[in-house]
Amino acid sequence: VFEDAEECARVLADAMALKKSAAAYMHPEVGVTATDATVFGRNYFNRYSAPETEVFEDAEECARVLADAMALKKSAADYLHPEVGVITTDGASFGRNFFNRYSAPETEDVELADERACVFAEAAAIKKSALDYMHPEVGVSVSDATVFGRNYFNRYSASEVEEDVFAEERAEILNDAMALKKLAAAVKGANLPSTKSTKLSSIDSDVGPTIKSASTVNLFGLSEEVV
């Protein structure tokens, strides 16, 4: 069958390849023999006579390493030989700042100036308070015109006034006093009954053991003098 023939061919090919690999492994002295033309080709960039080249990333890393080494070497030399001094040819190194030159007038930052002014003002206020405390005989001297002004409502010749809250409180107190006075006068002039009392019926007769109607009204606590 055609499928069996193909399977047999593949098995034989695998067996030949395994045999060849085993022979090459057991006899390395035989060497490799090939007749393919591409095997004898050469790479132009990797040929023996080509100049030595380097990958771009490796070149950048090498440059950084060399730059760091040079900087470290310069720092070590400056540390070991301070007598050499600093040598530079940069034109900007010889420039001068107009505001920081030696002949410029002394200046101060705005924040420092404001802080200095606040400190001086507080010191002056403390000094004035100390002088006023130590010398009370000096008195207070002032030239402000508003100090000599007078309040129209609080002047000596003004009529006496009272605040609304106090006036309302005063009126309530007076009303309570008048009510108490009237009550006291009514109690004093009233004809109060004596303390002797008896139980009287609605017809002013003694309540006896007689049977009364449920609708009968009894008045208790009235004295004999009440008519």
Side-chain angles (χ1 to χ4, degrees):
V1 184
F2 183 73
E3 289 79 6
D4 295 339
E6 287 184 349
E7 183 66 22
C8 182
R10 283 195 295 269
V11 171
L12 292 176
D14 293 337
M16 290 297 294
L18 290 174
K19 180 181 179 181
K20 182 180 179 181
S21 298
Y25 180 79
M26 292 297 294
H27 302 281
E29 68 279 1
V30 175
V32 178
T33 57
T35 57
D36 191 358
T38 58
V39 175
F40 303 96
R42 293 188 302 169
N43 190 343
Y44 176 79
F45 300 99
N46 294 333
R47 69 189 188 278
Y48 291 101
S49 59
E52 185 177 358
T53 58
E54 192 175 13
V55 183
F56 183 73
E57 290 78 7
D58 296 340
E60 288 185 344
E61 184 65 22
C62 182
R64 284 194 294 269
V65 171
L66 292 176
D68 292 339
M70 289 297 294
L72 291 174
K73 179 181 178 181
K74 185 175 184 301
S75 298
D78 294 339
Y79 181 80
L80 289 173
H81 301 284
E83 69 279 359
V84 175
V86 180
I87 301 173
T88 181
T89 56
D90 190 1
S93 301
F94 302 96
R96 294 188 301 168
N97 190 345
F98 177 79
F99 300 99
N100 294 334
R101 69 189 189 278
Y102 291 102
S103 60
E106 186 176 359
T107 58
E108 192 175 17
D109 294 338
V110 178
E111 292 79 7
L112 297 178
D114 293 340
E115 185 67 20
R116 183 188 297 275
C118 292
V119 171
F120 284 159
E122 292 177 358
I126 294 173
K127 179 180 178 181
K128 185 176 183 301
S129 299
L131 291 175
D132 294 340
Y133 181 79
M134 294 297 294
H135 301 284
E137 70 278 359
V138 175
V140 180
S141 59
V142 66
S143 59
D144 191 359
T146 58
V147 176
F148 303 98
R150 294 188 300 168
N151 191 344
Y152 176 79
F153 300 98
N154 295 334
R155 69 188 189 280
Y156 291 101
S157 59
S159 57
E160 185 177 357
V161 294
E162 191 176 17
E163 296 182 3
D164 295 336
V165 179
F166 296 150
E168 292 178 357
E169 185 69 20
R170 183 188 295 274
E172 292 178 0
I173 293 172
L174 292 176
N175 292 332
D176 293 341
M178 289 296 294
L180 290 174
K181 184 178 179 181
K182 289 180 181 180
L183 182 59
V187 172
K188 184 177 181 181
N191 187 10
L192 297 177
S194 62
T195 57
K196 183 180 179 181
S197 62
T198 182
K199 296 182 179 179
L200 301 176
S201 65
S202 58
I203 57 175
D204 295 335
S205 60
D206 294 336
V207 177
T210 59
I211 299 174
K212 297 188 298 181
S213 173
S215 62
T216 302
V217 177
N218 296 327
L219 301 177
F220 300 99
L222 298 178
S223 66
E224 295 176 352
E225 297 178 356
V226 177
V227 182

